[in-house]
Amino acid sequence: MRAAEGLDDEAPQGEVAAEGFYVLATPEGKERLATNLGERFRDNAEKILNASHTIILTTRADLPGTHLEAVFAKERAAGRFPDPAKQELWESMTRDFLSLRTYGYKDLNHWMEKQTYMAMGLTMMAAAELGVEATPPEGFDPTSVDKAFKIRESGHTTTVLLTLGHPDPERVYTTPISRFDTAQLFTFM
């Protein structure tokens, strides 16, 4: 991949502690990731180093009440629900939903990872709208990445990586991609 113009327009300079997304745009940041993908995944290092940007998308390791209260405070301050009764209903419904995920289904972490993957999907669509290629190289060791960037110290863990840029014309796949027939994949009703 080659550099994608315009991606750094709003980016803060230097290393800034993040909560959720680590945007690697410098050679040093990409090198740190490339050398910490894990032994089995060294083949992905070149993709990381050649990308214009690589994003480490993380997921919270847990969901403490303090975080939920901070989200609600942010929503109230932004005026998300002008009617206070609707805000209260929303907060009650959210607490019920999270309680169900925590104690009923016992899958809160899995659900939170799904939210991270939805953020990745939206990022990929936004990149496509800008004419930028986005590829998630899932071959990496999350524990190694977490250690290299001290991600677990923030209460998160690495879920997925996303590289951004323009493809190298000499490395674009030209062989056919094998796919099952539509009738084998979809049920139309």
Side-chain angles (χ1 to χ4, degrees):
M1 288 201 178
R2 297 179 291 113
E5 292 77 30
L7 292 180
D8 287 322
D9 293 346
E10 300 294 321
Q13 298 302 309
E15 190 168 318
V16 178
E19 184 169 309
F21 305 97
Y22 293 72
V23 180
L24 311 178
T26 66
E28 297 80 15
K30 292 184 286 185
E31 179 69 30
R32 187 188 321 174
L33 178 59
T35 58
N36 286 285
L37 294 173
E39 192 63 38
R40 295 179 300 186
F41 307 110
R42 298 244 181 245
D43 287 352
N44 280 331
E46 184 180 1
K47 297 171 190 169
I48 302 298
L49 295 171
N50 291 336
S52 172
H53 295 70
T54 297
I55 303 173
I56 303 171
L57 291 95
T58 72
T59 303
R60 294 189 67 85
D62 67 358
L63 191 59
T66 53
H67 178 73
L68 191 57
E69 290 308 317
V71 170
F72 291 152
K74 180 78 172 150
E75 290 175 337
R76 285 190 293 273
R80 179 173 184 204
F81 298 99
D83 179 354
K86 287 187 179 181
Q87 179 72 38
E88 288 176 30
L89 178 62
W90 169 252
E91 291 178 16
S92 174
M93 288 172 27
T94 301
R95 285 188 184 93
D96 279 351
F97 177 81
L98 293 174
S99 179
L100 178 64
R101 288 288 178 199
T102 302
Y103 302 108
Y105 298 138
K106 296 179 173 51
D107 72 343
L108 182 63
N109 291 89
H110 183 67
W111 176 81
M112 289 191 298
E113 281 188 336
K114 288 179 183 179
Q115 306 311 300
T116 303
Y117 273 93
M118 287 194 307
M120 180 186 67
L122 291 170
T123 303
M124 292 175 74
M125 289 191 308
E129 185 69 23
L130 295 171
V132 175
E133 295 285 330
T135 304
E138 284 198 287
F140 67 94
D141 176 2
T143 303
S144 180
V145 175
D146 286 353
K147 285 180 185 175
F149 290 88
K150 297 182 168 83
I151 291 172
R152 292 197 181 171
E153 283 86 335
S154 73
H156 292 74
T157 187
T158 301
T159 300
V160 67
L161 307 175
L162 185 64
T163 59
L164 302 169
H166 297 292
D168 180 345
E170 295 179 16
R171 300 192 66 118
V172 173
Y173 291 109
T174 57
T175 57
I177 297 174
S178 177
R179 298 283 189 256
F180 285 110
D181 292 334
T182 302
Q184 290 178 277
L185 299 174
F186 297 95
T187 299
F188 293 95
M189 302 175 148

